[in-house]
Amino acid sequence: SAMRESQAYCLQVGLTGLHDFHGRACFVALQTLQQNGELGLRVVKNVPVYRLEYAIGVGLRSGFGDNWLRIGSVKIFADGALGPRTASMIASQSGRR
């Protein structure tokens, strides 16, 4: 139900496709929507690097799927980001925005 609500909002504001980096539960929800004919967003599901061996083992490859839901790239986090202040910095950036 959360995925249906989120999708409705996305479509309402004009978003028609996205890249997803969440885990298995999200992928299962997207597959369920697609199987029920309810998926209105085009979704590229990216595989987190720590799941890559498993994905390869079950036969998933980049491009697998269809025009609505398909496997994309491998997601690797090498560092954080400045916005949420998760990036590793040489000097403290406290108080800066």
Side-chain angles (χ1 to χ4, degrees):
S1 65
M3 191 66 74
R4 283 185 191 92
E5 289 178 35
S6 298
Q7 176 180 248
Y9 178 76
C10 289
L11 294 170
Q12 179 183 353
V13 298
L15 185 64
T16 60
L18 54 91
H19 286 245
D20 174 53
F21 300 100
H22 285 89
R24 182 181 184 277
C26 183
F27 190 44
V28 170
L30 290 165
Q31 288 176 312
T32 301
L33 287 176
Q34 185 184 31
Q35 289 169 351
N36 294 337
E38 300 176 85
L39 186 60
L41 293 170
R42 295 184 189 277
V43 180
V44 176
K45 178 68 178 172
N46 295 287
V47 177
V49 72
Y50 66 89
R51 294 281 190 212
L52 182 58
E53 193 171 317
Y54 177 78
I56 292 169
V58 298
L60 293 179
R61 301 286 185 266
S62 182
F64 177 81
D66 59 25
N67 288 333
W68 292 99
L69 180 59
R70 65 184 162 90
I71 301 297
S73 303
V74 175
K75 178 67 175 179
I76 299 172
F77 283 98
D79 195 1
L82 294 176
R85 298 178 182 213
T86 57
S88 179
M89 304 296 285
I90 293 172
S92 174
Q93 300 294 310
S94 180
R96 290 186 150 189
R97 290 217 164 218

